[in-house]
Amino acid sequence: MTYKIRPLMRNKAFGALVFLLAVIGVAIVIYRPLTYFYEYDPQYYPIDYGRFNFFSYFTVQSNIFVTFYLFCLAFAIFGNRKAMKVAFNPTVRLFATTYIIVTGAVYCGGFPLGMSPPLHWDTFGHIAHSFIQVFHHMIIPPFTVLLFLLPPTERKVSKKSVWLAGIYPFVYSLFSIARGALTSQHFYAYPFYKPDFFWNLFLKDREFNTLYAYALEFVMLIFGIGLFVLIAAILRLINNKIVSNMSNTEVMS
């Protein structure tokens, strides 16, 4: 089977830019645990969960996924055919874009709701930490969306891929809820994984009931996974519309 390749996907300067962003992504993954420091904050960080807890966040995991995708894309642009199989795969592109959109939207939407920790720029440690937050939530998400709007080939996204996009966040959410409920430190990666979050949001006038609270949380979880699937469905429509209109380009065997 042959696929038409967008000329941009042969542009070495663009490949260098993609590679640079991937390198920054890896540098962050190395830097953050190595330079970990704990600062007590009664609202956001009341307990020291340790340096490797950094990897517990959907933000970090989705960014690692995107970093892997960016490396594959960069190598693909430079002509590596094995990398092309990953970077030009429409399902991989769909998953990466869907997850990073949610990452950026939840974080930025958390500011007015008081759920996202404020950014500080007073010390080197704070500057580095704040840059990581900006890079993960405000730079990589729009860049990944831009990449999605520039499909490398005319391959379309299948309907099956849309539904599959909900599996990882569903498993991640179940694990995060179970970890918070069953471990001694009761760490919840995000406030909405706590059983009392939606109870206080919708039923705060009623006496708290643990069983009903988890039932409500499960309903909201299904709704949340539905948002992932909806975003993936919208992206599929956009991608398939764009590739249908792609002009003639070079052909890859």
Side-chain angles (χ1 to χ4, degrees):
M1 184 179 294
T2 60
Y3 301 105
K4 300 173 184 177
I5 298 180
R6 183 182 291 270
L8 181 64
M9 297 302 147
R10 297 188 185 278
N11 186 301
K12 299 301 188 290
F14 181 68
L17 172 62
V18 173
F19 184 77
L20 174 61
L21 291 176
V23 169
I24 294 175
V26 170
I28 288 174
V29 170
I30 296 173
Y31 171 85
R32 189 67 175 86
L34 288 179
T35 61
Y36 172 79
F37 61 90
Y38 170 67
E39 289 185 300
Y40 174 77
D41 186 313
Q43 181 176 0
Y44 301 106
Y45 308 108
I47 299 175
D48 184 0
Y49 296 107
R51 69 179 67 242
F52 295 109
N53 198 57
F54 171 72
F55 297 99
S56 299
Y57 295 95
F58 188 85
T59 284
V60 177
Q61 296 179 21
S62 61
N63 270 274
I64 289 175
F65 183 22
V66 171
T67 296
F68 168 74
Y69 167 69
L70 293 180
F71 268 123
C72 291
L73 180 60
F75 289 131
I77 292 173
F78 284 102
N80 186 295
R81 288 189 173 272
K82 290 183 178 180
M84 289 180 186
K85 293 181 180 180
V86 177
F88 296 170
N89 186 303
T91 298
V92 174
R93 295 176 53 249
L94 179 73
F95 287 4
T97 309
T98 299
Y99 300 155
I100 208 66
I101 284 176
V102 175
T103 290
V106 170
Y107 180 83
C108 294
F111 279 116
L113 298 176
M115 293 191 298
S116 296
L119 301 174
H120 298 291
W121 307 91
D122 53 339
T123 67
F124 176 80
H126 286 159
I127 290 173
H129 182 71
S130 295
F131 169 76
I132 291 172
Q133 298 301 318
V134 171
F135 185 81
H136 276 174
H137 301 97
M138 303 175 192
I139 295 177
I140 289 300
F143 183 77
T144 307
V145 171
L146 176 61
L147 286 179
F148 192 84
L149 297 177
L150 299 170
T153 72
E154 87 282 16
R155 295 175 65 184
K156 293 186 176 183
V157 176
S158 67
K159 291 182 179 179
K160 181 180 179 180
S161 297
V162 171
W163 294 105
L164 291 177
I167 294 178
Y168 169 67
F170 181 70
V171 173
Y172 171 84
S173 297
L174 289 181
F175 173 81
S176 298
I177 293 171
R179 178 187 176 187
L182 301 177
T183 58
S184 58
Q185 291 185 320
H186 298 295
F187 170 76
Y188 291 94
Y190 299 98
F192 44 79
Y193 285 143
K194 296 180 180 180
D196 61 346
F197 180 83
F198 291 109
W199 185 277
N200 292 332
L201 191 62
F202 299 117
L203 303 169
K204 59 183 178 180
D205 294 332
R206 299 186 180 184
E207 182 180 356
F208 181 78
N209 182 292
T210 302
L211 180 60
Y212 291 162
Y214 276 110
L216 175 61
E217 185 172 32
F218 183 76
V219 171
M220 298 308 297
L221 172 59
I222 297 302
F223 176 77
I225 300 305
L227 290 179
F228 277 90
V229 174
L230 176 61
I231 292 172
I234 294 173
L235 290 175
R236 174 180 177 267
L237 291 175
I238 293 173
N239 177 85
N240 292 355
K241 178 64 176 179
I242 292 174
V243 300
S244 294
N245 298 326
M246 283 181 64
S247 59
N248 293 330
T249 56
E250 297 179 43
V251 176
M252 174 182 69
S253 298

